[in-house]
Amino acid sequence: MTDTRGHQPSYDMYGGEQPARQQAGQPYHPPQAYPSPDGTHGGQGPGQQAGAAVRRPRTGARTTPRTRKARLRVAKADPWSVMKVSFLLSIALGVCTVVAAAVLWMVMDAMGVFSTVGGTISEATGSNESNGFDLQSFLSLPRVLIFTSVIAVIDVVLATALATLGAFIYNLSAGFVGGVELTLAEDE
């Protein structure tokens, strides 16, 4: 194959490079962006075979995956959404508290803690006319569950109110100092 384009004008290329001059009788090889391993720019030199030039990776190329990072700022916390989330979380915490108190009471009753401690207290506080303080009737399961439920309801109300108040205070302070900055990273 021969070049039938005729005479080509000389072009000024980026960086002052000139296009490689084609020698008579040689096939046309377009210029490459990176030099070949033997250091020539125009593809194969004289005497090289077509498959002999192997492109090697650049030495500065990364082989490990990049981690993308983004710096974000929490500028405002919506008090309504904070109230809804804190209400649901405090209800879940209240239910866990009631269940944990019931399980703990059953385990302690099965181990005989209430009867042993109750017997000791009734002997210490009793006299000839009365039997003393009865711990087992005072710490019965219904009483413990009612007390724990009251504490859980108070916890739901207080936690919801404090979280909503905290959102208002955060919004005020974020207006002055800009809010909390977070750096999030994503592995590729």
Side-chain angles (χ1 to χ4, degrees):
M1 178 188 300
T2 59
D3 187 11
T4 58
R5 295 181 294 173
H7 176 69
Q8 298 290 321
S10 65
Y11 295 105
D12 288 336
M13 299 192 72
Y14 184 78
E17 293 180 1
Q18 296 292 326
R21 299 280 179 208
Q22 184 177 353
Q23 298 176 357
Q26 292 288 328
Y28 175 73
H29 296 290
Q32 294 183 351
Y34 300 104
S36 61
D38 64 352
T40 62
H41 275 278
Q44 294 116 5
Q48 288 184 343
Q49 298 175 354
V54 177
R55 180 175 282 187
R56 295 183 189 139
R58 294 180 295 167
T59 57
R62 288 181 163 193
T63 56
T64 59
R66 257 184 42 199
T67 301
R68 295 191 313 175
K69 292 183 179 179
R71 288 183 57 151
L72 301 174
R73 186 170 50 97
V74 181
K76 183 183 178 207
D78 185 31
W80 178 249
S81 64
V82 169
M83 185 183 78
K84 289 188 293 186
V85 169
S86 64
F87 178 71
L88 288 177
L89 290 177
S90 59
I91 282 180
L93 181 65
V95 169
C96 290
T97 303
V98 171
V99 170
V103 169
L104 184 63
W105 187 92
M106 289 179 197
V107 168
M108 290 175 69
D109 188 45
M111 289 173 50
V113 172
F114 295 125
S115 61
T116 305
V117 173
T120 305
I121 290 177
S122 63
E123 285 178 12
T125 59
S127 62
N128 293 338
E129 304 88 43
S130 65
N131 290 337
F133 181 72
D134 188 14
L135 183 67
Q136 285 180 314
S137 64
F138 182 73
L139 290 180
S140 64
L141 182 61
R143 268 194 176 170
V144 169
L145 290 182
I146 288 173
F147 179 73
T148 307
S149 299
V150 168
I151 295 296
V153 168
I154 292 171
D155 176 52
V156 166
V157 172
L158 284 179
T160 305
L162 288 176
T164 307
L165 182 64
F168 278 114
I169 292 172
Y170 176 79
N171 289 339
L172 287 174
S173 65
F176 292 120
V177 297
V180 176
E181 288 189 8
L182 303 173
T183 301
L184 304 177
E186 176 187 20
D187 291 333
E188 290 181 0

